[in-house]
Amino acid sequence: MVWSPFDWLSRRFSPDVGIDLGTANTLVSVRGRGIVVNEPSVVAINRIDNSVLAIGKQAKTMVGRTPAHIVATRPLRDGVISDFDVTARMLNHFIHEALQRSGIGIGRPRVMVGIPGGATEVEKRAIFEATRSAGSREVHLIEEPMAAAIGAGLPIFESTGSIVVDIGGGTTEVAVCSMGGMVVSTSTRVAGDEIDQAIITYARQVHNIQIGEASAEKIKIAGASAFPLEEERDVTLSGRDLSTSMPKIVTVTTVELRDAISSAVSSIMDAVLRTMEITPAELIPDIMQQGIALAGGGAYLPGLDRRMSQETKFPVYKADSPLTCVVRGCAEALNETRALAAADGQVLAGRR
């Protein structure tokens, strides 16, 4: 094979990029620069000419506030691509934005993307092709639980068992890792979005108020919890009265919000318990000693660690910087031969 000078320069200076392509947020890490992009996975499209008006934070501010011909959409649902073309444009924007912010725009990047553990081959191929069409020279895919375990600093390449629970926007991934691979894993499409939806349903059914996804997320952050709080408090819930179509404001307690999201939280607990049931007995003592690591934005839900510890009888702790575990794991995996081999052995990988 004969390489042109451009090919040589591209390979010589091609940056390593790790991407956590999340339902709610996309994070991009560049080797030597750390996390340089942390933006909502939202794209605003002009339906008249199909042009992209905004991506990321600016697009999120448009959700529910645009005229009919402008649509602010999330191209990923439940952790997988629902709109290939829009996702490709979003990825292209974030990759180029990351390289510009890093000041190293030479060559095409080598990319590792985290994907849901329960993704089908068709969904994997869609993510692979979207990343490749964004200008990447080399694309690897790694399952998010594996990336989260690496980013959380778990000893996954040793013969001991480690468990991670990655709660994102669209999916919850539970995996027991050992010897550089996932021994058992469970994926459920119940996570942060389902908790938001539970709050929307509660507001409509109990208080006859219509609220949007953004409002539900704010209420979740302000007062939702998975376990009784030391000091319960009141939270203001405001929206449109479904009977009169006029603004309406009510006060709810954190106890009420906890009851409202209990079904979604229980589904997450069920995924953890199902994983523990199929975990080899030899690894249980290791997990008892190390504990369960929580990663993803859902790890910040107050009381989640206490409830999970109560139901599993295992110690539970939040990993350092839970939101960035997957993207840090993706970046580290590109420089770890064993992790790269594991990723290529489990999912698609390719070059062009």
Side-chain angles (χ1 to χ4, degrees), residues 97-326:
E97 187 75 12
L99 297 182
Q100 288 179 3
R101 293 181 185 179
S102 302
I104 48 172
I106 302 177
R108 293 176 297 172
R110 189 171 67 125
V111 180
M112 176 74 79
V113 185
I115 63 170
T120 66
E121 292 302 316
V122 172
E123 291 166 344
K124 293 174 185 177
R125 174 59 64 180
I127 295 173
F128 177 82
E129 293 296 343
T131 308
R132 191 170 65 173
S133 66
S136 305
R137 174 179 64 83
E138 185 176 320
V139 180
H140 300 267
L141 305 183
I142 184 171
E143 291 175 316
E144 287 177 356
M146 183 70 128
I150 295 173
L154 301 183
I156 65 168
F157 296 107
E158 298 178 9
S159 58
T160 58
S162 302
I163 184 169
V164 63
V165 180
D166 177 27
I167 308 169
T171 59
T172 294
E173 313 274 352
V174 187
V176 175
C177 303
S178 181
M179 298 295 291
M182 293 192 299
V183 181
V184 295
S185 65
T186 302
S187 178
T188 179
R189 294 186 177 182
V190 176
D193 287 350
E194 285 294 321
I195 294 176
D196 293 346
Q197 190 58 49
I199 293 174
I200 292 173
T201 301
Y202 163 77
R204 184 178 65 251
Q205 294 181 346
V206 178
H207 296 285
N208 204 38
I209 295 178
Q210 181 181 23
I211 62 174
E213 293 180 0
S215 297
E217 184 179 14
K218 290 178 181 178
I219 294 168
K220 176 179 67 178
I221 295 172
S225 61
F227 198 81
L229 302 174
E230 292 183 4
E231 185 176 338
E232 305 290 355
R233 59 186 184 277
D234 294 335
V235 178
T236 299
L237 192 156
S238 59
R240 180 165 61 90
D241 191 312
L242 290 172
S243 300
T244 64
S245 295
M246 298 296 289
K248 182 178 180 181
I249 299 176
V250 298
T251 299
V252 300
T253 67
T254 50
V255 175
E256 292 176 274
L257 289 177
R258 185 162 56 251
D259 290 341
I261 68 171
S262 62
S263 178
V265 174
S266 294
S267 295
I268 294 173
M269 295 300 159
D270 288 344
V272 177
L273 292 172
R274 288 199 307 270
T275 305
M276 299 306 301
E277 288 174 359
I278 59 176
T279 298
E282 292 80 1
L283 299 179
I284 296 298
D286 298 332
I287 297 173
M288 280 292 295
Q289 182 176 3
Q290 293 188 33
I292 299 173
L294 294 179
Y300 289 105
L301 184 66
L304 183 65
D305 51 350
R306 295 179 63 187
R307 176 167 174 180
M308 191 174 294
S309 180
Q310 183 184 73
E311 295 200 17
T312 63
K313 311 304 180 184
F314 285 82
V316 180
Y317 67 96
K318 286 195 290 284
D320 292 337
S321 185
L323 273 173
T324 65
C325 281
V326 172

Side-chain angles (χ1 to χ4, degrees), residues 15-17 25-40 54-59 90-106:
D16 286 349
V17 175
N25 295 282
T26 295
L27 288 79
V28 183
S29 176
V30 178
R31 184 177 63 178
R33 302 296 192 278
I35 298 169
V36 293
V37 170
N38 184 355
E39 300 266 356
I55 296 176
K57 293 178 182 177
Q58 186 179 357
M90 184 180 73
L91 272 171
N92 184 71
H93 171 81
F94 285 147
I95 290 175
H96 284 84
E97 187 75 12
L99 297 182
Q100 288 179 3
R101 293 181 185 179
S102 302
I104 48 172
I106 302 177

Side-chain angles (χ1 to χ4, degrees), residues 36-53:
V36 293
V37 170
N38 184 355
E39 300 266 356
S41 301
V42 182
V43 181
I45 302 288
N46 186 332
R47 301 174 73 175
I48 296 175
D49 57 6
N50 202 35
S51 61
V52 174
L53 299 179

